[in-house]
Amino acid sequence: MRKRASVKIEGMHCATCALTIENSLREVPGIDKAEVSFGSNSAMIEYDPSKLDFKVISKAVEDAGYKAITETTVLQVEDMRCASCIRVIEEELLKKDGVISASANLATRLVIVEHNPNMMSVGEIKAVIKGMGYTPAQKEEVVKGKGKYRFDFIFSLIVSVPLLIISMFLMGVIPYHMEMLFIMGTSVQIIGGKTFYIGSFKSLKHRSPDMNVLVALGTSTAYFYSVYNTFFAVGDLYYEAAALLITFVLLGRYLEDIAKARASAAIRKLMELQPKYATILKDGEEVQIAADEIAVGDTIVVKPGESIPIDGRVITGKTAVDESMVTGESIPVDKVEGDEVIGGTVNQTGLVKFAATRIGKDTLLSQIVRFVEEAQAKKAPIQRFADRIAARFVPAVIGIATVTFVVWILLGMPLNFSLIMAVSVLVIACPCALGLATPTAIMVGLGKGAEMGILIKGGDVLENVRRLTTVVFDKTGTLTVGKPRVVEIVDIGGLGEEEIVVLAASLEKGSEHPLAKAVLDRAGNTKLYELDGFESYPGEGVKGRVKGVDASIGNRKLVSRFSLDLGAASDVLTKMEGEGKTSSILFYGGKVAGIIGIIDTPKPDAGKAISELKAEGLEVIMLTGDNERVAKAVSNSIGIDRYIAQVPPNEKANVIAKLQSEGKVVAMVGDGINDAPALTQADVGIAIGSGTEVAKEAGGIILTKGNLGDVVSSIRLSKRTVSKIKQNMFWALIYNSAGIPIAAGVLYPMLVLRPEIASLAMALSSVSVVSNSLLLKRYNG
């Protein structure tokens, strides 16, 4: 059985870094698929847990010169008593996938666990320790690195400003000015520039030069040339250029980090929804515990205004719950006994008690977070194109910089001028903006979708949406409310309406079809007859023996199958179907006993959604198992021009394949369960009403609210996101295409681009791409 893991990675600076890590992971036996995203600083990995665990994955990332970000959780375990306790706890924790290291200390009674939080949560670690008979304390400490570039940037700025002032205005005015410049410039190189030198060493070690190499080469050239002129010769000094170059690149990275954090803000908001504590009933008394200590089956008490801590099912009480934070549904949802509640939502009006049904990574909230994180890590085809360009960019730029230096020397320009021009080329050409163009737009687009209750599985889905020509809707439960009800009973054989209902319900009790449920609902609590020899014919009906007599109920296909005679009932049937009613024909003893008319009302927003899809230039088709007359009546009522009728569930995928063979790019909209094969066959599968099993749906897009209007919103959001990607790619390519020749001096003497200005331009290009992506946050459907 394959597993999927999302791994956060530290140290990536451009698309080349992502490609390096990807190649390293793909070489590991047992890893089937690896996709690394520079924009989200994460990798999505599919692997065989029988062949490797997270420690091997983490090692592969480190071997590539980067670091898999983990969390260190510290737990107090007071009932550890001896060295044997330590060994048992450590060994059991190390068996768990997602745990890197585990260290128990008897003197302090502390257990320190380094783990991947996406694979092993704090609550799950506690559960493992509890399972061994120990009691971990409620308090834990999670150690994380924050503000990586903030200090380096501030230090470099504080030193670079006076360095620039001395270089520009005070040369020769203050004593030992050259030595002072050397000290200040060196401090920026060591403290501010260390990240570039370390990064360069790692990337060159793995033969994958990245932007760190360009920055390190550029600043080192200016710095060491200045050192040489300070102590061994007479010439110009460029300490301020080298220092400002580092400062501006650090500024760019710092701003990028802030912007990328804003891009993933939707995920953080979701993660913060779950309350820290919960009130449970224990021995008849209310006890407050940490939310991650809740166990399946615990009875939880939630008062008005409180957040629901975990997924569960209402035992007593009734209330209205605000689910907008999780599903995007703005209208509070009424909850009564037996209804499901979602962790992270807000109880508004009444006191309820519910039983916990899902904990940890199985909750809907955790599934959504994991779903979106994995989706953000998946690469769109256009991003792979950018990665290929970026992978070849650094060696090409080094070559261009070398040519620039040689050409200016041959043209008779001084050594210092030629060096500065080469340094400017190195700095301005860093492909950061190109690497950020796609992933940042995808991060914001998918995060915005999550806020709206629209879950999109990745960049490849976004690109497929852009190419759509046709949207196919399943009828029952998708275009309709999914709750068919009996609206007409016609007595043909003289048995009486109630007897017809009882006979029909006696047959249908063996079926799980929605139409069968409608008949059973109509029968209510009436005592039904014994049923023998039950047989089901999908898409047609059922048959069996009721009161010792052969009986069947179904549609025209079932009539044809058994060569039954409709007789005078044919006209009644035709009239019913023309009114849009799905008709179930009851045969008893070989004769028509009656016809039951059933209606599944179209959803209130169906007509508007269809109209808006047409306005987007899309062809809309309805797929149904009903006959031609019913299909025509329903499609006409909601404005669909084309329908395909009498399609049994197992044939839906074939219909989609046939449409694709005609050259259509097809989206299939269905309920995500019965329509799974068709959703998978379609170019884009859109699953409506995913319930609580988000990660298991077949759709490329999942709509958690079940509103048809969200089909339109998901398509528009996808198109807008792809549009942002194209804008970003265009400007990133234009920037590099124009910036390199300008830096090389094609506009000399009118314009000479100094290295520090080139570095600022490079930094601002990356920030502008991320900022453009952030404009997607304004999208409201």
Side-chain angles (χ1 to χ4, degrees):
M1 181 180 175
R2 296 291 187 269
K3 277 193 174 183
R4 303 175 76 193
S6 176
V7 182
K8 289 290 183 181
I9 297 174
E10 183 177 281
M12 287 195 289
H13 307 300
C14 63
T16 309
C17 303
L19 203 61
T20 301
I21 299 168
E22 224 170 66
N23 292 335
S24 177
L25 288 168
R26 286 172 178 169
E27 291 173 2
V28 178
I31 292 182
D32 299 320
K33 186 177 180 182
E35 292 187 325
V36 182
S37 168
F38 165 49
S40 62
N41 292 327
S42 64
M44 195 282 288
I45 300 166
E46 290 185 10
Y47 67 103
D48 184 348
S50 66
K51 294 182 180 178
L52 76 162
D53 57 18
F54 183 69
K55 290 185 279 293
V56 179
I57 295 171
S58 181
K59 178 70 164 52
V61 174
E62 289 181 7
D63 287 345
Y66 303 86
K67 187 178 188 309
I69 298 176
T70 57
E71 287 185 353
T72 301
T73 299
V74 183
L75 297 172
Q76 191 94 30
V77 184
E78 289 292 342
D79 44 6
M80 288 193 299
R81 300 298 179 197
C82 62
S84 178
C85 299
I86 293 172
R87 180 180 58 80
V88 169
I89 290 173
E90 289 179 348
E91 288 181 356
E92 193 63 26
L93 285 170
L94 288 171
K95 290 178 185 175
K96 303 301 178 183
D97 203 5
V99 173
I100 303 293
S101 65
S103 174
N105 188 305
L106 186 61
T108 59
R109 302 287 200 275
L110 293 179
V111 176
I112 303 171
V113 186
E114 184 184 4
H115 60 105
N116 176 353
N118 294 327
M119 298 169 70
M120 176 66 73
S121 69
V122 176
E124 289 169 324
I125 292 171
K126 288 182 176 182
V128 172
I129 296 174
K130 284 180 179 178
M132 291 181 283
Y134 299 95
T135 311
Q138 291 182 11
K139 182 181 177 182
E140 69 271 353
E141 175 189 0
V142 179
V143 182
K144 296 181 181 178
K146 293 183 179 179
K148 181 181 176 185
Y149 296 112
R150 188 169 181 267
F151 172 79
D152 290 350
F153 163 66
I154 292 174
F155 174 85
S156 299
L157 181 65
I158 290 172
V159 176
S160 296
V161 170
L163 197 160
L164 176 65
I165 293 171
I166 294 172
S167 299
M168 298 292 290
F169 306 110
L170 301 177
M171 288 288 282
V173 177
I174 59 175
Y176 305 108
H177 60 273
M178 295 178 67
E179 290 79 1
M180 188 178 297
L181 292 176
F182 166 74
I183 293 170
M184 296 170 75
T186 302
S187 68
V188 174
Q189 290 291 316
I190 293 172
I191 296 175
K194 67 181 183 297
T195 184
F196 306 112
Y197 290 112
I198 293 170
S200 297
F201 173 76
K202 288 180 178 179
S203 68
L204 291 172
K205 178 182 174 184
H206 293 278
R207 300 183 185 88
S208 299
D210 58 13
M211 71 160 289
N212 287 303
V213 174
L214 299 183
V215 176
L217 271 176
T219 188
S220 297
T221 301
Y223 171 75
F224 286 113
Y225 179 74
S226 301
V227 171
Y228 177 77
N229 285 341
T230 299
F231 297 104
F232 306 105
V234 176
D236 293 332
L237 304 180
Y238 294 100
Y239 289 117
E240 85 287 355
L244 285 170
L245 192 158
I246 288 173
T247 302
F248 287 138
V249 176
L250 287 171
L251 171 63
R253 289 192 177 180
Y254 179 48
L255 293 176
E256 274 177 31
D257 280 355
I258 293 172
K260 287 198 293 190
R262 287 181 61 201
S264 58
I267 298 302
R268 286 203 313 279
K269 285 180 186 175
L270 284 172
M271 294 173 72
E272 291 167 0
L273 287 178
Q274 188 167 346
K276 301 293 183 186
Y277 298 96
T279 301
I280 69 168
L281 281 181
K282 194 169 185 179
D283 299 326
E285 294 186 6
E286 294 185 5
V287 179
Q288 191 175 70
I289 64 169
D292 57 18
E293 292 183 345
I294 296 171
V296 172
D298 280 350
T299 299
I300 300 160
V301 180
V302 183
K303 298 170 184 174
E306 293 182 342
S307 292
I308 294 169
I310 210 82
D311 291 4
R313 184 170 283 105
V314 177
I315 301 171
T316 60
K318 59 181 180 178
T319 187
V321 177
D322 180 1
E323 297 183 345
S324 61
M325 296 78 75
V326 175
T327 67
E329 178 58 72
S330 58
I331 300 172
V333 181
D334 291 332
K335 301 290 181 181
V336 296
E337 184 178 332
D339 287 344
E340 290 189 342
V341 290
I342 302 169
T345 58
V346 180
N347 180 29
Q348 290 197 322
T349 55
L351 185 146
V352 289
K353 296 176 184 176
F354 68 91
T357 55
R358 292 177 177 84
I359 61 172
K361 64 178 183 296
D362 295 325
T363 65
L364 177 62
L365 192 58
S366 296
Q367 286 184 54
I368 290 174
V369 170
R370 188 166 63 251
F371 181 101
V372 179
E373 284 182 335
E374 288 181 4
Q376 288 178 340
K378 288 183 179 178
K379 290 186 177 178
I382 195 171
Q383 185 177 346
R384 296 188 183 283
F385 166 72
D387 288 350
R388 287 196 296 272
I389 293 176
R392 294 166 175 78
F393 216 77
V394 174
V397 168
I398 293 173
I400 293 170
T402 304
V403 170
T404 299
F405 174 76
V406 171
V407 167
W408 282 115
I409 288 290
L410 293 176
L411 290 174
M413 298 302 287
L415 175 65
N416 64 328
F417 177 87
S418 303
L419 275 175
I420 289 302
M421 299 303 281
V423 169
S424 293
V425 170
L426 287 171
V427 175
I428 204 168
C430 292
C432 296
L434 192 62
L436 287 168
T438 300
T440 53
I442 288 175
M443 286 174 67
V444 178
L446 269 56
K448 183 64 182 179
E451 289 180 359
M452 299 167 65
I454 299 169
L455 306 180
I456 303 171
K457 281 191 176 177
D460 53 341
V461 177
L462 294 173
E463 290 206 36
N464 284 338
V465 169
R466 180 178 59 86
R467 299 186 298 109
L468 286 178
T469 61
T470 306
V471 180
V472 178
F473 284 90
D474 173 55
K475 181 178 80 73
T476 304
T478 302
L479 286 172
T480 61
V481 294
K483 293 181 179 178
R485 70 183 192 281
V486 174
V487 293
E488 185 177 2
I489 300 167
V490 178
D491 180 7
I492 303 292
L495 296 176
E497 289 187 9
E498 293 310 312
E499 181 67 5
I500 289 169
V501 170
V502 174
L503 287 169
S506 298
L507 275 167
E508 296 281 30
K509 67 183 178 183
S511 173
E512 295 182 355
H513 195 278
L515 297 181
K517 188 176 185 306
V519 173
L520 288 164
D521 287 344
R522 173 65 176 77
N525 296 321
T526 304
K527 185 177 180 180
L528 304 180
Y529 301 126
E530 289 294 324
L531 173 65
D532 299 312
F534 176 81
E535 292 180 47
S536 176
Y537 301 90
E540 298 179 16
V542 299
K543 65 171 289 192
R545 290 181 65 80
V546 180
K547 295 197 297 183
V549 178
D550 287 338
S552 65
I553 185 169
N555 56 26
R556 288 178 183 268
K557 282 188 176 182
L558 193 74
V559 173
S560 299
R561 174 183 286 274
F562 296 110
S563 301
L564 298 168
D565 182 19
L566 283 172
S570 182
D571 291 340
V572 176
L573 186 60
T574 300
K575 179 177 178 293
M576 253 189 207
E577 291 170 345
E579 294 169 348
K581 297 168 187 172
T582 301
S583 304
S584 293
I585 311 152
L586 174 67
F587 281 84
Y588 191 65
K591 296 181 180 179
V592 180
I595 302 176
I596 299 175
I598 300 170
I599 278 185
D600 187 6
T601 310
K603 289 181 178 177
D605 57 347
K608 182 181 179 184
I610 301 305
S611 174
E612 291 182 350
L613 286 171
K614 288 181 178 179
E616 292 286 327
L618 295 166
E619 177 189 21
V620 182
I621 301 173
M622 183 182 78
L623 207 59
T624 178
D626 282 325
N627 61 54
E628 290 282 335
R629 294 184 185 88
V630 174
K632 183 177 181 180
V634 174
S635 59
N636 285 344
S637 70
I638 54 178
I640 292 181
D641 301 321
R642 182 182 175 188
Y643 58 85
I644 303 174
Q646 294 182 302
V647 181
N650 58 337
E651 288 295 320
K652 290 179 182 178
N654 294 336
V655 172
I656 300 298
K658 185 175 184 300
L659 292 170
Q660 290 169 323
S661 70
E662 297 170 3
K664 300 180 188 296
V665 182
V666 182
M668 171 69 190
V669 186
D671 64 15
I673 302 169
N674 299 327
D675 301 317
L679 288 168
T680 304
Q681 174 64 43
D683 298 281
V684 178
I686 303 177
I688 289 189
S690 63
T692 54
E693 295 296 325
V694 168
K696 295 181 181 178
E697 291 289 3
I701 298 175
I702 296 172
L703 310 178
T704 63
K705 289 186 288 186
N707 294 344
L708 288 174
D710 284 346
V711 175
V712 184
S713 295
S714 67
I715 290 173
R716 287 175 177 167
L717 176 62
S718 298
K719 286 182 175 180
R720 190 160 302 188
T721 303
V722 172
S723 176
K724 283 295 177 189
I725 292 171
K726 288 184 171 181
Q727 291 171 22
N728 289 345
M729 290 284 286
F730 174 78
W731 287 113
L733 289 168
I734 286 292
Y735 164 79
N736 280 120
S737 301
I740 292 174
I742 291 173
V746 295
L747 298 181
Y748 177 83
M750 183 172 62
L751 176 63
V752 176
L753 206 61
R754 287 179 59 84
E756 61 269 31
I757 303 302
S759 67
L760 180 60
M762 185 271 290
L764 292 177
S765 71
S766 297
V767 174
S768 66
V769 163
V770 180
S771 299
N772 187 45
S773 297
L774 285 169
L775 294 176
L776 275 170
K777 292 172 77 71
R778 298 180 181 178
Y779 175 75
N780 291 314

